[in-house]
Amino acid sequence: MDAIYATQRHFYDLTRKYYLLGRDSLLRDLDPPEGGTVLEVGCGTARNLIAAAKRWPDGRFYGFDISSAMLETAHRNIVRAGLADRITLARGDATDFDAQAMFGLPGFDRVFMSYTLSMIPGWQDAIAAAARAVAAGGNLHIVDFGQQERLPRWFRRGLFAWLDKFDVTPRAELALTLSRIAQAQSLHDDCRPLYRGYAWKGRLSPP
């Protein structure tokens, strides 16, 4: 991942804002409790964490990523935003992480994953691990590429071919996987398409 992002991290946010649709909607839906804790799995440049921390100034925010290069950029962005006292970063693997070891917390009121699953080979394990990191009564929020089922075929073919150049694979079985994990962990699942199938928006929450 460091090889991929060594250069991309410097213009990542500028380019991604045009096609990572649904990120800001996910952040609005987080709505953590007063003084609550929020974890982003695969935090990248910390763009989302910074936006969330500004939106909920009484919350505590945490993020981790497997890429040291991305974390270096994330740290700079957080310091520049004046949020170093409210956002904590760590390096970790989304498919197998220990929140207690990384942050000294057993769970979080809100956990979210924004356009990370399409880049993680073991994405099903990543969802299961993220769900286990949710504290009692909390929620897991997900947004990622959909299957473009209600968009023109030429658009779908073009987008998928372009994403493939960056090792990004939209997960056709995301809804089924959320349902399976929800059943295994006694949670309620909700997964729906956005923008005519351009993206998926999912959530695991208490029943």
Side-chain angles (χ1 to χ4, degrees):
M1 296 304 291
D2 280 342
I4 293 175
Y5 289 124
T7 301
Q8 286 192 38
R9 62 191 169 121
H10 299 298
F11 52 84
Y12 185 92
D13 290 331
L14 180 63
T15 58
R16 266 59 177 183
K17 70 178 182 178
Y18 296 109
Y19 65 90
L20 298 188
L21 307 181
R23 292 186 301 173
D24 293 332
S25 172
L26 178 150
L27 295 177
R28 288 193 297 270
D29 290 346
L30 289 177
D31 194 21
E34 185 174 354
T37 55
V38 178
L39 170 69
E40 181 174 16
V41 177
C43 63
T45 64
R47 178 263 187 195
N48 295 326
L49 285 172
I50 291 170
K54 289 179 177 179
R55 189 176 186 89
W56 289 286
D58 61 346
R60 293 175 292 154
F61 296 84
Y62 304 83
F64 71 89
D65 203 285
I66 199 169
S67 169
S68 298
M70 274 297 206
L71 288 172
E72 181 182 328
T73 296
H75 178 70
R76 284 203 303 268
N77 290 341
I78 289 168
V79 170
R80 189 180 301 119
L83 294 168
D85 60 332
R86 295 185 47 227
I87 302 177
T88 303
L89 299 177
R91 185 174 185 274
D93 184 344
T95 65
D96 183 21
F97 65 92
D98 185 338
Q100 183 72 53
M102 285 197 293
F103 301 113
L105 293 171
F108 304 83
D109 297 303
R110 301 290 185 268
V111 178
F112 71 98
M113 310 175 79
S114 173
Y115 285 93
T116 57
L117 296 174
S118 50
M119 299 193 68
I120 300 174
W123 62 277
Q124 298 98 328
D125 292 334
I127 297 176
R132 290 192 295 270
V134 178
N139 300 321
L140 167 63
H141 297 257
I142 293 171
V143 66
D144 215 305
F145 289 108
Q147 292 299 298
Q148 326 296 312
E149 61 271 16
R150 295 178 57 202
L151 291 167
R153 291 183 181 179
W154 63 264
F155 182 88
R156 183 181 190 274
R157 287 195 300 269
L159 178 63
F160 277 29
W162 186 72
L163 293 175
D164 187 59
K165 295 180 183 295
F166 300 95
D167 297 315
V168 176
T169 305
R171 307 305 183 184
E173 297 183 353
L174 178 57
L176 290 175
T177 299
L178 283 178
S179 179
R180 176 178 58 80
I181 292 173
Q183 185 175 12
Q185 300 193 29
S186 300
L187 299 169
H188 172 74
D189 67 289
D190 179 25
C191 191
R192 62 190 66 187
L194 300 177
Y195 315 115
R196 300 177 65 189
Y198 182 89
W200 283 108
K201 187 176 184 180
R203 182 170 68 176
L204 295 179
S205 57

